[in-house]
Amino acid sequence: PFFVNINNSMKIIPSINPAGHMKPESKNTVFCTAPWVHTHISPQSERRLCCVSKEDSMMTNNYLDTGGEQGLFAKSKDISSYKPLTLKEHFHSPYMNNIRRRIMAGEEIPQCEMCNHQKYSFQRYREWFNMQFHDKIEECFEKTNDLGGTTMDPISFDYRVSNLCNFKCRMCGDLNSSSWEAEIKKNNWDKDKPNMLKENKDIIETFQIDVVEQELWDAACKGDIEEIYWAGGEPLMYPIHWRVMEKLDKDNTLKNVFLRYNTNLSKVRFGKNSIYDYLPKAKDYMMFCSMDATGKVAEFIRTGLKWEQWDKNFREGVALAPGSDKMKIDLTLTLPGLLDLVNLVEYAEDVGVAIAPGKIYAMTPDVILSINALPRYIRDRIVKEILDSIYKYKDTQHALITELEGIVNDKTFEEEFPDTYKECFRRTKEWHQDLARVRNDGVDSITVEEIYSRDQEVMDWYNECMVGDEPADWYNG
């Protein structure tokens, strides 16, 4: 989730410039300013168009990558293919030039599949970039040649300098959480994964500190930054975050920067500094605070979360005028969270904020935390019941209601993967049961069985559809 209620208002007017490039006010519906103004790097030093682009990775595929594989342990590549690139090497490379050339021509490219087909959310990330940098669109065309080469440099940074994180969210993994990584190593689950091998980890960490953090620091010192998207890992645990924010504040350039955060909000202070001291000084800001349920269910989904502390930190941000407009609940819609969603909506209404929804993106059917793991008749029935309960909040929770209304168009795993979903379900259920034992689910917490027992059909599905050599007849019928 990167924005809320951003509508694409581009006019469809036949207009093509002399070079054959189609501007967004023409029929070019795929144009995005990101390849001209934005730069993203992952905790594994993989540079991308943005955080939801599908690309060929150098070393370790994430769940979006071309040729990638969904699940906790995605396929990994030989480390010999890993060569981290500096910003200059990447941004002005033949690869990026080709991207810009094709986008200017109005061509749909596979890297932008998530926006082209709205696979993550009903809102497209490109809409954010085209709105936020609308004043740069003409410059994009004027300063780019027919081969896609540009004289522009990025002014929007999404630098995830490490996977440092104190949570182990069940829909996450080692790529974005050092706590997940430590748990995997401790239990010897995937000891040979390239990004976790010490010799490779040392290369990545050295590059991130010596090159990536320095690039961000140099941009802050030059005063050229117009937007920073702080995400992670957990960005409020990054020392570089606090260094950069203090520098921008000291140089009085923070007033020129739009700040976006995606944070678990477990910590809002670093030494004597509070994030809430900096936000009012920025040009504008938006805080997306990760939360998928309330109370014990929230703590189950996001291992490491303390609900009462999160609630305190969140309300502190809301109290910061105009915090109710700037603070958003960043919802990743999971099956456990679905069964507590009405409670989360009631909480959001009590606090006076909007929920920014997103879905788990699954390329294979082993993601049983996805609501699409359910049979259609159960999934759609639950979603309808939720909509009936929360529709009275349609003016304040428009984004969530729109997302829920669109779920009926999503294929279930049974429909999308008819030949593999049964075995994937069985295998992945066993994995989650092992994880529950490792994390001592039920000891001062709640179990997935207790959550699913809130809906008898879900409980029956969970108990019966993945046992024995074949799923139960109940599920087949």
Side-chain angles (χ1 to χ4, degrees):
F2 314 100
F3 53 94
V4 177
N5 294 337
I6 303 300
N7 296 315
N8 185 352
S9 58
M10 295 186 295
K11 298 178 181 179
I12 306 301
I13 302 174
S15 173
I16 301 179
N17 72 357
H21 300 154
M22 301 169 65
K23 297 183 180 181
E25 65 268 19
S26 71
K27 294 181 179 180
N28 187 348
T29 59
V30 303
F31 182 81
C32 177
T33 59
W36 284 263
V37 303
H38 181 69
T39 180
H40 165 81
I41 194 165
S42 76
Q44 290 71 45
S45 64
E46 300 271 7
R47 295 193 186 268
R48 302 173 179 274
L49 299 176
C50 70
C51 62
V52 295
S53 62
K54 293 186 65 174
E55 305 190 43
D56 287 325
S57 65
M58 292 182 291
M59 181 178 60
T60 301
N61 288 334
N62 74 16
Y63 66 102
L64 291 177
D65 285 338
T66 303
E69 194 173 279
Q70 176 63 48
L72 180 65
F73 306 124
K75 286 184 177 179
S76 302
K77 296 192 175 183
D78 189 330
I79 187 64
S80 63
S81 65
Y82 171 73
K83 182 185 181 301
L85 303 174
T86 67
L87 175 59
K88 184 176 180 180
E89 289 172 334
H90 171 75
F91 200 74
H92 297 289
S93 65
Y95 171 76
M96 286 296 296
N97 292 347
N98 184 52
I99 292 290
R100 285 186 282 262
R101 178 185 62 80
R102 295 166 69 185
I103 287 178
M104 287 194 302
E107 179 182 344
E108 279 196 6
I109 58 175
Q111 290 90 337
C112 299
E113 180 180 341
M114 299 299 283
C115 281
N116 293 339
H117 303 290
Q118 294 177 289
K119 287 198 170 185
Y120 181 80
S121 170
F122 77 94
Q123 297 171 320
R124 294 180 171 93
Y125 198 10
R126 70 162 61 104
E127 294 170 10
W128 168 262
F129 286 114
N130 289 343
M131 181 202 70
Q132 185 74 353
F133 300 101
H134 181 76
D135 61 334
K136 307 294 183 183
I137 293 176
E138 289 291 337
E139 185 178 357
C140 291
F141 284 85
E142 292 171 358
K143 294 186 176 180
T144 305
N145 62 37
D146 290 347
L147 298 178
T150 183
T151 58
M152 296 175 67
D153 287 312
I155 53 177
S156 169
F157 288 79
D158 176 1
Y159 269 27
R160 309 184 186 192
V161 298
S162 79
N163 67 345
L164 180 64
C165 184
N166 55 339
F167 280 14
K168 294 178 288 188
C169 303
R170 294 181 191 247
M171 55 285 196
C172 191
D174 61 281
L175 295 180
N176 294 305
S177 168
S178 57
S179 296
W180 253 113
E181 182 176 338
E183 185 175 64
I184 291 171
K185 289 179 178 178
K186 179 180 179 180
N187 292 280
N188 202 30
W189 287 331
D190 198 22
K191 63 181 180 180
D192 295 324
K193 198 170 183 182
N195 62 291
M196 295 196 302
L197 295 177
K198 184 181 185 306
E199 58 270 30
N200 301 338
K201 188 80 173 175
D202 289 345
I203 295 173
I204 294 171
E205 289 181 351
T206 299
F207 181 78
Q208 295 287 71
I209 293 172
D210 293 348
V211 178
V212 176
E213 290 192 15
Q214 188 62 45
E215 289 172 354
L216 185 56
W217 178 253
D218 289 344
C221 292
K222 289 171 61 180
D224 292 339
I225 299 176
E226 295 189 17
E227 180 189 52
I228 305 180
Y229 180 30
W230 290 110
E234 172 45 46
L236 295 182
M237 294 178 66
Y238 291 166
I240 187 64
H241 163 269
W242 298 98
R243 285 182 58 215
V244 166
M245 294 298 288
E246 186 174 17
K247 177 65 174 175
L248 295 173
D249 183 26
K250 180 180 178 180
D251 291 352
N252 199 32
T253 54
L254 186 55
K255 65 183 179 181
N256 303 321
V257 181
F258 190 107
L259 297 173
R260 285 188 290 144
Y261 283 83
N262 193 294
T263 170
N264 66 33
L265 211 66
S266 60
K267 302 176 184 294
V268 296
R269 288 170 177 79
F270 187 82
K272 64 179 181 179
N273 299 317
S274 168
I275 185 57
Y276 297 131
D277 294 333
Y278 292 118
L279 297 182
K281 300 177 183 180
K283 179 180 180 179
D284 204 347
Y285 69 91
M286 194 71 71
M287 293 282 289
F288 292 97
C289 306
S290 301
M291 187 51 59
D292 318 297
T294 61
K296 292 295 184 182
V297 180
E299 292 176 349
F300 169 84
I301 297 171
R302 296 185 178 269
T303 303
L305 168 72
K306 302 299 180 185
W307 167 257
E308 291 184 359
Q309 184 62 53
W310 186 92
D311 175 46
K312 179 182 177 181
N313 291 344
F314 189 71
R315 289 180 186 270
E316 183 180 355
V318 173
L320 185 71
S324 60
D325 293 329
K326 306 302 180 183
M327 301 287 286
K328 308 294 179 185
I329 293 177
D330 174 22
L331 165 69
T332 299
L333 196 57
T334 65
L335 178 49
L338 187 72
L339 299 181
D340 195 64
L341 186 54
V342 173
N343 289 334
L344 184 64
V345 173
E346 295 289 351
Y347 172 83
E349 288 296 312
D350 176 63
V351 179
V353 301
I355 295 175
K359 296 176 287 191
I360 295 178
Y361 181 65
M363 295 175 64
T364 61
D366 54 357
V367 192
I368 63 172
L369 289 183
S370 168
I371 65 173
N372 291 328
L374 288 171
R376 174 173 288 276
Y377 74 94
I378 299 179
R379 184 198 69 181
D380 290 359
R381 187 260 303 165
I382 294 174
V383 170
K384 182 181 184 302
E385 290 173 354
I386 293 171
L387 284 169
D388 289 343
S389 296
I390 69 173
Y391 196 73
K392 57 188 174 184
Y393 304 126
K394 62 182 182 300
D395 293 333
T396 50
Q397 304 299 338
H398 172 75
L400 174 61
I401 289 173
T402 301
E403 192 73 56
L404 290 172
E405 289 175 335
I407 285 174
V408 68
N409 299 316
D410 293 345
K411 290 182 178 180
T412 66
F413 290 168
E414 181 180 12
E415 296 164 346
E416 189 169 3
F417 309 103
D419 297 328
T420 58
Y421 78 96
K422 295 177 183 179
E423 176 57 33
C424 280
F425 278 8
R426 281 196 293 267
R427 185 178 69 245
T428 311
K429 182 180 178 182
E430 291 175 359
W431 150 249
H432 279 281
Q433 289 172 335
D434 287 342
L435 185 64
R437 286 190 286 270
V438 167
R439 295 186 179 179
N440 294 316
D441 289 353
V443 179
D444 297 324
S445 63
I446 195 171
T447 66
V448 71
E449 289 82 4
E450 290 176 293
I451 298 171
Y452 289 173
S453 66
R454 295 182 176 188
D455 188 290
Q456 190 58 50
E457 284 191 324
V458 173
M459 194 70 245
D460 290 342
W461 165 78
Y462 185 74
N463 284 334
E464 298 178 30
C465 74
M466 292 176 279
V467 296
D469 294 332
E470 291 294 334
D473 291 339
W474 169 88
Y475 188 68
N476 291 332

